[in-house]
Every structure is written in structure tokens, then in C-alpha cells.
Amino acid sequence: MIKGTFLDEISHDIPHQNWGRKEWDEDFRHMKQIGIEMVILIRSGYRKWITYSSDVLIKEMGAYQPSIDLVKLFLELSEKYGMLFYFGLYDSGKYWTTGQYEKEVEINKAVIDEVWARYGQYKAFKGWYISQEISRKTNEIVSLYASLGHYCKSVSGGLTTMISPYIDGVKNISQYTSKTSRPNCVSLDQHKKDWDDIFKGIKGAVDIVAFQDGHVEYDELIDFLRINKEIAEANGLECWTNTETFDRDMPIKFLPIKWEKLRLKLELAKQAGIENAITFEFSHFMSPQSAYLQAGHLYNRYQEYVREQSEKQTVICEADKP
Amino acid sequence: MIKGTFLDEISHDIPHQNWGRKEWDEDFRHMKQIGIEMVILIRSGYRKWITYSSDVLIKEMGAYQPSIDLVKLFLELSEKYGMLFYFGLYDSGKYWTTGQYEKEVEINKAVIDEVWARYGQYKAFKGWYISQEISRKTNEIVSLYASLGHYCKSVSGGLTTMISPYIDGVKNISQYTSKTSRPNCVSLDQHKKDWDDIFKGIKGAVDIVAFQDGHVEYDELIDFLRINKEIAEANGLECWTNTETFDRDMPIKFLPIKWEKLRLKLELAKQAGIENAITFEFSHFMSPQSAYLQAGHLYNRYQEYVREQSEKQTVICEADKP
Amino acid sequence: MIKGTFLDEISHDIPHQNWGRKEWDEDFRHMKQIGIEMVILIRSGYRKWITYSSDVLIKEMGAYQPSIDLVKLFLELSEKYGMLFYFGLYDSGKYWTTGQYEKEVEINKAVIDEVWARYGQYKAFKGWYISQEISRKTNEIVSLYASLGHYCKSVSGGLTTMISPYIDGVKNISQYTSKTSRPNCVSLDQHKKDWDDIFKGIKGAVDIVAFQDGHVEYDELIDFLRINKEIAEANGLECWTNTETFDRDMPIKFLPIKWEKLRLKLELAKQAGIENAITFEFSHFMSPQSAYLQAGHLYNRYQEYVREQSEKQTVICEADKP
């Protein structure tokens, strides 16, 4: 089921919980408890806000000096709890969104060098997350992914690389409008064509693709999941799902998802043959210590479900015995 | 005062709390504690999301199989705590909103049959709630209400039926815009005329009308409450108030209402001679275990008020003694 | 650091917490604990909602009778905890926003008289807050501030008066739109010119100006802080900062700010030579008992910071010893 979660500590849109080391330690314990084995720092920085005291980003981007080294903290906790840590690249919030792809690559190469030199010795450091999230194909994004993926691998001895794109569906809508859906969106065919092209271009540079599962109607999801898996595997990528644990259908953007919706999405992924899920994200939307108390109840519902599933599994295995 | 609450488990717009049986049991206990005697399932289903494993809705509407039978749970808890249970009809979210009223009636008749056969033996099953909420008169809505109300009664031996319309006031505005008010709204006269017509058409089919009290300015409320009571009673319906416990004036849609606002609305209802109130709704906006902690404080303020009122009452009664 | 907080009990836009005396007592204790020495009632009334049973406002404005005397409660708690209390004037929500400045002044003079007669004997009553918040200069606002400031002083034997304007920056945007920024905003020069004029006009009537610090980009803040201090002091006003503890960058309006942002703003204020900060506001966004649990964590982070700063200070002082 859910084996990984993002850590959204430089957030675009989710209000911050203001946790210290004590709360983070407790949260890793909660994650472990429900089977989460990997954590993915969603981005190491966004514009001027950064997760570690980066000489590169302070000098080149004028980033603000953070008061805590979150990369170190998360690596230490990953080692303490036996989790894999994926490092999310820097998102300038300006270069790649205004056509300056090369600058986005260049600043990230310096970040990758710096981070690997500083944190590469941690055993928990197991992969890279390319944080520039996209939905539709452009030639530039393909080469951005390819350049960054290859560079991560070349520096780190071939560690795993991951992306988590979204589908340009009915719920792909700015979090800064109050609407929750829109009329025009990508067709299944166009999505397939776009992503088949992208995968061809990033093959070898990116190992895992985990599409966000919240931008299409629940009804449409199964078809997209199947297509995603088909074209990813045809191009040699592993296909996971990023099963979102927040609710995109509500006027408050964003609170924890209704358990029935999460359950449906997990079962659709299973039906599509997708075995691995990560989620965006545990600490706000699923944690017993989340500021959103609905999250703790979601944690309980999910645990009951996992238990129920594993009991079913046991029964099936028993039945299989000669 | 507040003697009933909706149960908003298939919600349009209020994020879900992800409660299990334990939390629901506790919540019924909290309700009972402040004098709530009836619970109204706001709708048994909306589009594909349903509260019980309905063969009808799974087959006809492609509804998703729920993981829990909420109708059974709520009936059991109603019996445990001595509450009356009202069953909310199915809202297709498409037929009646696009002119296909007959289809809305037809699917609901099948739901009514199914539900009565399955749950009619529960002693707590005491009424029906027609969940299609409207504000202005159309001929079709009158016959939808009339058909469904009569059908509920005919199947169940005449159990009580209820509706809870809204007033087309300044705060009648989509929860998916960020505004909180709008310029054009219904006049008192037009409202009176519309609803007098509607009541004439649904007389005998609907027993109780409880208008939502949150769509007009606090200043205007008393006039609407008086009109509502006057025309409802003139047509043989009981007039209750649905006193909303969430705040319509805030940018976050929706959090618990300020106690002073709720108190004012309750006192205005009393002034208008309306004796019974239900609320939308206890579990998010008034419960000590709500994810919105303001709700627990509202619970305390309301309890203090009830105590204070009953002490006043005692003093008055004592004074009346010879 | 933060030595004062607003009390936002008649709120425009922040959902109410529904606290009673017990919670308020506890909150003053929490404030005191982190060094808060003054509380500022943000407004004594807005339109028909009022904080104390004002004969003036009930008669003249048709205000609703409140169920609790908040002014008395806050004065009592201020005395209990040794805090200074500032009384926020009445905001009609209509006169001064539609050009009827004289009416706004007139009703407030009656409020000032009433309040001073009723509560002036409390030792904690130490100042007045002129609650009409503005950003750009108009002649009428200058005379409104001047009239009200002088009147407060004349009635109360010269107690301190305070205003808290905002900067017409990129984040000056209605809380009722879902956007968080806008293209056109005031230039530094225009801001300087406007406010230099305003200060000239309100000199002697207003003692302290504490600009809200959340309407400009973090990058721009230092320049505005410096200008504010320069022109305020040139005109004989004390310049404080109103460091907002809620986050203006998020789709949910408004939840507690990320600690790193608050820390940055406090350090920028220090750099600009501003020594005193108030905040909007403690009870929702920084209190351990806030309904927003992020607030309690912000409280902890802030306390750690204060401790860390004072340890640094001690080290410096020790080093200075001969």
C-alpha cells in the first residue's frame, strides 16, 4: 500500500505546522507504524526559502538563512527509523516557469554537488526527487528532466530518481481560485501520447514515475492509472501512484480526504496492477499529530483497512495450503 | 431549543472527519447531553457516494460500494440513545438539477422501497427528509416534493416528512466562490408569495418545514421567520427553524459560528414564535470532539445558555405560584 | 520583541473561537509567559456587533445586546496579569467608508465618553487604539485620526493613542477573493510621501504607529520598515511594528504563519532599528489553546528563539565585562 510520503516543508500552499525536532521524531514513528518506508523531501527550496543552509542558494538566489537544517534532521530520523530518504531538487519558481530551463538546470547542478558533498555519506540517502511538477509535454521539460536525472545519477553513483507529475484533468485548477473543477481538460489519448513521448525522452534518467491521483474524476481514474502503467513500463520506468490524502472537492483548500475516497483510489490502483504508492502527504493529512484532527482519524481508518486486508490475505494463503 | 441535528455524512462542501463507530457513539452521547432528540441523515447518497450498500444505487447509478453501513449505524445509535431517526432521500446531483424531475422521483421511489424493507423495522426510524434543497418556486419542484412526500408516507404508514429550504438572500452564494454576499436577492413579498404557492402544492405530503436561517442578514431574519411561520401554518405545515451552526460571513468556508450570532438567531426564532429548532450541524460545528476546536467551545457556551434560560424559567414559574 | 497583541473579538474575517472567561484567563497567562505586556482591543464594535453593552451604540446604531461584557473582562484580566489595556474605537463599517467622516467621529466621541465614564477607573486602562485602518492618504482620514486622537487624550488625561495602518503592497488584497497577490501597488516613494503628509497632520493626536508587516514581499519589507521609522520619528511619533502572526500566502485565509517567516520579519525589524512589536494576533495564531494547533507550535518555536536570543545577549554582556 502506501510505502512513502512526501515531506512538504517548503510548501506552496499548505499552511505550515511549525514543528520542531520532537514532533518530527514522533511523526516518523507514526509513519513507520503504518508501513511507510521512504520519505521524499518535496523540494529543498522554493524561491528564497530553503531547507538547509545552502551556500549556493544563499549566494546565487539570495535565499534566506534557515534556522534549522531540515535535510540533516530528516536524514537522521530516516536512519533512526530505517527509512529511505529522497532529496527533492530546488525549484527556483521563476526560471523553468519562464522559459529559462538552462538556468534551472545549472542552479540545480550546483545544489546537487553541494548536497551530495555534504550529506552523501548518510546511509539513508537513497534517491533524488525532481521537483519541477508538470502535466503536459514540452520539449524543454523533457530535457530538464533528462539533464537533472542523469546528473543526479552521475554524482551519486546511480541512485534512484523519481518524478510525480499530475494529470491535466478537471480538477487541475489553481489553489488560488475558489473553484474546484473546470471544463476543459486533457483526453485520455492526448495524455497517453504526451507521456509516451516524455518517457521516451527521460528513459534512463528517471527511474520511477508516480502520477498524482487527484486531478481527475473518481470515475476516470482507473483508465488513467492503466495508461500510466502501460506507457511507463513500455519505456522502462516503474509506475507508482501518488495517492493524495487531501480533498480536492471542498471549498477549504486543503483538508484531509474522506477515507472512502482514499480507499477507492487505493483499490483502483490495485485493479490497475500498480503495487507501490506514495502520498502527498502524511504529516498534514494522515498524522495523529496533524493540526487537522481529521488526519488522525484517517490514520485510524487506514490502519483498520490494512489489518482487514492482511487478514483476508492470510485466509487466502491458508486456503492455498495443500 | 435545538432538538435535532443533521448528520452530514455524504457532504457537498464540509470536509469529512473520518470518524468510526467509536466516535459516532460518543457524538450521539454529546448530542443527547444538550437536549438533541432527533437526527436527520441529510442525504442517503449524492451522485455515486452512498451511505449504505444500496443495490438500487449501485446498479442504477453506478454508486461506489461503501465500506460501512451508516444507516444501520445511525439507527442503532438512535435506539441506544433514544433518538428519532429521519432518513434523507437520495440526491442524484444531476436529474432534478437539469430538468429531469421524473427520473429523480423514480430512483428515489426505488430507494424508499429498499430502505423501508431493509431498515423499516427499527423503532427509531421515525421520518423522512426530502433532501433536494431549493429556494424559489418552480412547478416541478412542487410536484417532486409532493410525489416523494406522499410516497414516503404511503410506504411507511404515514411517518413524518420534512424539508429544509433556504431563503434566496444576500448570503445565498456558491461555496465555491470566495465572496460571502451578493447584491440581488429575493424580497420578503416575493418569498412569501413563492412559498405560499409551494406550501399549497405540498400540503399533506410534507409535514414539517425548517428553513435554513443563514442566508439573510441578521437584521432581516425576524421578518423572514415570521412570514415562514405564518404561511406554513396557514397551509397546515409545522414551521421549525434550521439554525445553522457554521459561520457564513468568514473567508474560510465553513467553520463554527460565533456564539453571539447563534444566540441572536435562537432568540429571534423565539420572538417569531418558532419553538423547534434543528441545526446543520452538530458534529462538525458544535461537538466537543469536532476537528474544529471552536465547536467544543460553542457547545459549552450553548450549555451555559440553556442552563441560564432554564433558571430564568424556574424563577418565572416560582413567581407565578400563588 | 513582541510586547503586545490585539484582541480580535469583533472580527471581520477570523472565525471566532467561542471562548469564555476561563479560556481568556488562561490565554492572558500564556501571553504573559512570553513577554506580552499589553493587549489592544482591536475594535469595541463593528456595525451592530459590540463588545460591551453600549447604550450609545444600541440606541444610535441598533447594535445587538452582547451576552458578556468583554471590555470589563479584558480589563480585569489585564489587572490580574499586570498588562496594559488599549481600547479600540468603534468602526461603523459604513460612515467612514462612504465619505461620512463626521458621523464616524461623532458616534465615536459618544463611545469615548461612555467608555471612559464606565471603565476609566481601571488602572489597566492605558491607551486608545483608533481602529479605522487605512493605507493611502486622504484628507478626511487625516482629520478623522486627528479629531479622534485629540478627543481620546482630552477625555482621559492624555493617555497614549495608537494606529496600525497597512502598506498598500502586493498582498493588500481582499480576504474575500481567493487570490493572494496583485500586480499594482504603492511605490516606496509614494508610500513615504503619503505617510509623511499623514504624520504631519496627526502629530500630537497619535503617539504610536505600528504598520502591519504582511502586505509586502519579504524582500521589500526592510525598506518599508526603514522608511516608516524615519518618517514617523521625523514627525514625533513612535514607530513600532505590527508583526502579523498569520500567513498571507496560503489559500486558506488565514492560518498561523510559518515560524521562519515570523523570525525573518522580527529580524528585519531589528535591523531597521524598530524595538517594539505588537502582533495581530496572539489568541488565534500563537496561543497554545488556539483552535489552530499550528499556533501552539509557533508559541514553542518563538519561546525557543527568545531564549536563544537572550543567551546570545548574556554571552555578549559577559564579554563586555572588564
Side-chain angles (χ1 to χ4, degrees):
Chain A
M1 307 276 186
I2 301 176
K3 64 182 283 179
T5 180
F6 283 101
L7 301 170
D8 188 42
E9 276 301 279
I10 301 287
S11 173
H12 284 146
D13 44 20
I14 313 292
H16 202 263
Q17 306 210 71
N18 291 315
W19 288 352
R21 172 178 281 268
K22 180 166 149 275
E23 288 81 19
W24 278 112
D25 192 315
E26 182 73 4
D27 226 49
F28 272 62
R29 202 176 59 72
H30 288 308
M31 291 174 195
K32 189 76 185 179
Q33 174 75 18
I34 57 161
I36 288 178
E37 299 162 12
M38 68 190 284
V39 292
I40 306 141
L41 182 68
I42 196 160
R43 55 189 77 84
S44 48
Y46 176 62
R47 297 188 180 177
K48 304 208 169 185
W49 298 101
I50 56 181
T51 51
Y52 71 103
S53 179
S54 165
D55 297 337
V56 169
L57 295 170
I58 290 170
K59 179 153 172 272
E60 301 297 330
M61 307 299 295
Y64 307 124
Q65 177 69 52
S67 66
I68 182 173
D69 184 340
L70 287 171
V71 176
K72 184 162 170 284
L73 173 64
F74 293 147
L75 279 163
E76 287 171 1
L77 292 175
S78 296
E79 303 215 327
K80 177 169 177 185
Y81 290 98
M83 323 262 273
L84 316 178
F85 176 84
Y86 278 54
F87 179 88
L89 300 188
Y90 172 70
D91 179 350
S92 74
K94 58 179 184 182
Y95 296 146
W96 71 285
T97 54
T98 59
Q100 300 169 273
Y101 293 89
E102 280 156 35
K103 285 199 164 183
E104 190 81 13
V105 169
E106 192 187 346
I107 188 76
N108 264 297
K109 284 185 176 175
V111 166
I112 293 164
D113 288 338
E114 181 181 60
V115 160
W116 189 250
R118 214 182 277 185
Y119 306 102
Q121 79 283 7
Y122 281 93
K123 286 197 206 92
F125 200 135
K126 287 297 185 193
W128 303 89
Y129 174 68
I130 305 175
S131 62
Q132 288 74 9
E133 294 175 7
I134 60 147
S135 167
R136 303 291 281 267
K137 189 206 155 188
T138 66
N139 293 327
E140 295 84 355
I141 204 77
V142 172
S143 44
L144 179 131
Y145 278 10
S147 313
L148 290 176
H150 281 303
Y151 197 77
C152 287
K153 288 183 165 295
S154 73
V155 164
S156 64
L159 285 189
T160 310
T161 53
M162 177 188 263
I163 58 172
S164 184
Y166 53 94
I167 298 163
D168 190 21
V170 287
K171 302 184 195 174
N172 175 25
I173 201 155
S174 166
Q175 58 275 61
Y176 299 103
T177 85
S178 46
K179 295 222 171 49
T180 56
S181 67
R182 63 186 191 130
N184 299 313
C185 50
V186 75
S187 68
L188 204 59
D189 280 351
Q190 188 62 42
H191 175 80
K192 182 173 179 178
K193 205 166 156 320
D194 274 12
W195 280 95
D196 194 46
D197 283 355
I198 297 173
F199 289 151
K200 278 186 179 36
I202 63 175
K203 201 169 162 166
V206 175
D207 302 307
I208 304 173
V209 58
F211 278 94
Q212 300 169 32
D213 72 353
H215 295 81
V216 298
E217 288 294 357
Y218 294 93
D219 267 355
E220 309 170 300
L221 184 56
I222 186 78
D223 293 330
F224 279 98
L225 290 166
R226 284 187 176 128
I227 290 286
N228 291 343
K229 186 173 153 79
E230 179 191 326
I231 51 177
E233 295 185 350
N235 287 287
L237 282 86
E238 278 185 45
C239 184
W240 296 21
T241 184
N242 173 2
T243 193
E244 295 177 344
T245 34
F246 61 96
D247 205 313
R248 287 190 181 272
D249 307 327
M250 296 288 146
I252 302 185
K253 295 182 178 178
F254 302 101
L255 294 189
I257 200 169
K258 182 176 181 172
W259 161 240
E260 295 284 310
K261 293 180 179 175
L262 179 57
R263 186 179 63 96
L264 178 64
K265 295 193 299 179
L266 289 170
E267 301 204 332
L268 293 173
K270 235 187 295 179
Q271 277 173 42
I274 297 177
E275 282 168 19
N276 292 316
I278 56 173
T279 185
F280 181 89
E281 39 83 285
F282 181 84
S283 303
H284 286 89
F285 305 119
M286 242 187 139
S287 168
Q289 63 178 351
S290 167
Y292 306 136
L293 301 184
Q294 305 92 338
H297 295 292
L298 184 60
Y299 184 84
N300 294 336
R301 298 293 85 74
Y302 178 72
Q303 269 196 314
E304 289 164 7
Y305 174 72
V306 171
R307 211 148 39 217
E308 194 187 294
Q309 295 296 308
S310 89
E311 279 161 19
K312 265 192 213 160
Q313 200 54 38
T314 314
V315 173
I316 295 167
C317 296
E318 299 277 332
D320 281 353
K321 282 188 188 162
Chain B
M1 307 277 185
I2 301 176
K3 64 181 283 177
T5 180
F6 283 101
L7 301 169
D8 188 41
E9 275 300 280
I10 301 288
S11 174
H12 285 145
D13 44 20
I14 312 293
H16 201 261
Q17 305 209 71
N18 292 314
W19 288 352
R21 171 178 281 269
K22 181 166 148 275
E23 288 81 20
W24 278 113
D25 193 316
E26 181 73 3
D27 227 48
F28 272 63
R29 204 177 58 71
H30 287 309
M31 291 174 195
K32 188 76 184 178
Q33 172 75 19
I34 57 161
I36 288 179
E37 300 162 12
M38 69 190 283
V39 292
I40 307 141
L41 183 66
I42 197 161
R43 54 189 78 82
S44 48
Y46 176 62
R47 297 188 180 179
K48 303 207 169 185
W49 299 102
I50 55 180
T51 51
Y52 70 103
S53 180
S54 163
D55 296 336
V56 169
L57 295 170
I58 290 171
K59 178 151 173 273
E60 301 298 331
M61 307 300 294
Y64 307 124
Q65 176 69 52
S67 67
I68 183 173
D69 184 339
L70 286 171
V71 175
K72 184 163 171 284
L73 173 64
F74 293 146
L75 278 163
E76 288 171 0
L77 292 176
S78 296
E79 303 216 328
K80 177 170 177 183
Y81 290 97
M83 323 264 272
L84 315 179
F85 176 84
Y86 278 54
F87 179 88
L89 300 189
Y90 172 70
D91 178 350
S92 74
K94 58 179 185 183
Y95 295 146
W96 71 285
T97 55
T98 58
Q100 300 170 274
Y101 292 89
E102 280 156 35
K103 285 198 166 185
E104 191 80 12
V105 169
E106 190 185 348
I107 188 77
N108 264 298
K109 285 187 175 173
V111 167
I112 293 164
D113 288 338
E114 180 181 59
V115 161
W116 188 250
R118 216 182 277 184
Y119 305 103
Q121 79 284 7
Y122 281 93
K123 285 197 206 93
F125 200 135
K126 288 295 184 193
W128 304 90
Y129 174 68
I130 305 175
S131 62
Q132 287 74 9
E133 293 174 8
I134 60 147
S135 167
R136 302 290 282 267
K137 187 205 154 187
T138 65
N139 293 327
E140 293 83 357
I141 205 76
V142 172
S143 44
L144 179 131
Y145 278 9
S147 312
L148 290 177
H150 281 303
Y151 197 77
C152 287
K153 287 184 166 294
S154 73
V155 163
S156 64
L159 286 189
T160 310
T161 51
M162 177 189 263
I163 58 172
S164 183
Y166 53 95
I167 299 163
D168 191 21
V170 287
K171 302 183 193 174
N172 175 25
I173 201 154
S174 164
Q175 58 276 61
Y176 299 103
T177 86
S178 46
K179 295 219 173 52
T180 55
S181 67
R182 63 184 192 131
N184 299 311
C185 49
V186 75
S187 68
L188 203 60
D189 280 352
Q190 187 63 42
H191 175 79
K192 182 173 177 178
K193 204 165 156 319
D194 274 11
W195 281 96
D196 193 45
D197 282 355
I198 297 174
F199 289 153
K200 279 187 178 36
I202 63 175
K203 202 171 161 164
V206 175
D207 302 305
I208 303 174
V209 58
F211 278 95
Q212 301 170 31
D213 72 354
H215 294 81
V216 297
E217 288 293 358
Y218 294 94
D219 269 355
E220 310 171 297
L221 185 55
I222 186 78
D223 293 331
F224 279 98
L225 289 167
R226 284 188 176 127
I227 290 286
N228 291 343
K229 187 172 152 79
E230 179 192 326
I231 51 176
E233 295 185 350
N235 287 287
L237 282 85
E238 278 186 46
C239 184
W240 297 21
T241 185
N242 173 1
T243 194
E244 296 176 345
T245 35
F246 62 96
D247 205 315
R248 288 191 180 270
D249 307 326
M250 295 288 145
I252 301 184
K253 295 182 179 179
F254 302 100
L255 294 189
I257 201 169
K258 182 176 180 172
W259 161 240
E260 296 283 310
K261 293 180 178 173
L262 179 57
R263 186 179 63 96
L264 178 64
K265 294 193 298 179
L266 289 170
E267 301 203 332
L268 294 173
K270 235 188 292 178
Q271 277 173 43
I274 296 177
E275 281 169 19
N276 292 317
I278 55 173
T279 186
F280 180 89
E281 39 83 283
F282 181 85
S283 302
H284 284 91
F285 304 120
M286 240 187 141
S287 167
Q289 64 177 352
S290 167
Y292 306 136
L293 301 184
Q294 304 92 338
H297 295 294
L298 185 60
Y299 185 83
N300 294 335
R301 297 295 84 75
Y302 178 72
Q303 268 195 316
E304 289 164 7
Y305 174 71
V306 171
R307 211 148 41 217
E308 195 187 295
Q309 296 295 310
S310 87
E311 279 161 19
K312 265 192 215 161
Q313 202 50 41
T314 313
V315 174
I316 295 168
C317 296
E318 298 278 331
D320 282 352
K321 281 188 188 162
Chain C
M1 305 277 186
I2 301 177
K3 63 182 283 178
T5 181
F6 283 101
L7 301 169
D8 188 41
E9 276 300 279
I10 300 287
S11 174
H12 285 145
D13 44 21
I14 312 293
H16 202 261
Q17 305 209 73
N18 291 315
W19 289 351
R21 172 178 280 268
K22 180 165 150 275
E23 288 81 20
W24 279 113
D25 193 316
E26 182 73 2
D27 227 48
F28 272 62
R29 203 177 59 72
H30 288 308
M31 291 174 195
K32 189 76 185 179
Q33 173 74 16
I34 57 161
I36 288 178
E37 299 162 12
M38 70 190 283
V39 292
I40 306 141
L41 182 68
I42 197 161
R43 55 189 76 84
S44 48
Y46 176 62
R47 297 188 179 178
K48 304 208 170 185
W49 299 101
I50 55 180
T51 50
Y52 71 102
S53 179
S54 164
D55 296 337
V56 169
L57 295 170
I58 290 171
K59 177 151 174 272
E60 301 297 330
M61 307 299 295
Y64 306 124
Q65 176 68 52
S67 66
I68 182 172
D69 184 339
L70 287 171
V71 175
K72 183 162 172 283
L73 173 64
F74 293 147
L75 279 163
E76 287 171 0
L77 292 175
S78 295
E79 304 216 326
K80 176 169 178 186
Y81 289 98
M83 324 263 273
L84 316 178
F85 176 84
Y86 278 54
F87 178 89
L89 300 189
Y90 172 71
D91 178 349
S92 74
K94 59 178 185 184
Y95 295 146
W96 71 285
T97 55
T98 58
Q100 301 170 271
Y101 293 89
E102 280 155 35
K103 286 200 167 183
E104 191 80 12
V105 170
E106 190 187 347
I107 188 75
N108 264 296
K109 285 187 175 174
V111 166
I112 293 164
D113 288 337
E114 179 180 61
V115 161
W116 188 250
R118 214 180 279 185
Y119 306 102
Q121 80 284 8
Y122 281 93
K123 286 198 205 89
F125 200 134
K126 287 297 185 192
W128 304 90
Y129 174 68
I130 305 175
S131 63
Q132 288 74 9
E133 295 175 7
I134 60 147
S135 167
R136 304 291 280 270
K137 188 205 153 186
T138 66
N139 293 327
E140 294 84 355
I141 205 76
V142 173
S143 42
L144 179 129
Y145 278 10
S147 314
L148 290 177
H150 281 302
Y151 197 77
C152 287
K153 287 182 167 295
S154 73
V155 164
S156 64
L159 286 189
T160 309
T161 52
M162 178 188 261
I163 58 172
S164 183
Y166 52 95
I167 299 163
D168 190 22
V170 288
K171 301 183 194 172
N172 176 24
I173 200 154
S174 164
Q175 58 275 60
Y176 299 104
T177 86
S178 46
K179 295 221 173 47
T180 56
S181 67
R182 64 184 191 131
N184 299 312
C185 49
V186 74
S187 68
L188 203 59
D189 280 353
Q190 188 62 43
H191 175 78
K192 183 174 177 176
K193 205 166 156 318
D194 275 11
W195 280 95
D196 193 46
D197 283 354
I198 297 174
F199 289 152
K200 278 187 181 34
I202 63 175
K203 204 169 159 164
V206 175
D207 301 305
I208 303 172
V209 58
F211 278 95
Q212 301 170 30
D213 73 353
H215 294 81
V216 298
E217 287 293 357
Y218 294 93
D219 268 356
E220 310 170 298
L221 184 56
I222 185 77
D223 293 331
F224 279 98
L225 290 167
R226 285 190 175 124
I227 290 287
N228 291 343
K229 187 174 153 79
E230 180 192 325
I231 51 174
E233 296 185 351
N235 288 288
L237 281 86
E238 277 185 47
C239 184
W240 297 21
T241 184
N242 173 1
T243 194
E244 296 177 344
T245 34
F246 62 95
D247 205 316
R248 287 190 181 272
D249 307 326
M250 296 288 146
I252 301 184
K253 294 179 179 180
F254 303 98
L255 294 188
I257 201 169
K258 182 176 181 172
W259 161 239
E260 296 283 311
K261 293 180 178 174
L262 179 58
R263 187 179 63 96
L264 178 64
K265 294 193 298 179
L266 289 171
E267 302 204 331
L268 293 173
K270 235 189 292 180
Q271 277 173 44
I274 296 178
E275 281 169 19
N276 292 316
I278 56 173
T279 186
F280 180 90
E281 40 84 283
F282 181 85
S283 303
H284 284 90
F285 305 120
M286 242 186 139
S287 167
Q289 64 177 352
S290 167
Y292 305 137
L293 301 184
Q294 304 93 338
H297 295 293
L298 184 61
Y299 184 84
N300 295 335
R301 298 295 84 73
Y302 178 73
Q303 268 196 315
E304 289 164 8
Y305 175 71
V306 170
R307 211 147 42 215
E308 195 186 294
Q309 296 296 308
S310 87
E311 279 161 18
K312 265 192 214 162
Q313 201 52 40
T314 314
V315 173
I316 294 167
C317 296
E318 299 278 331
D320 281 351
K321 282 190 187 160

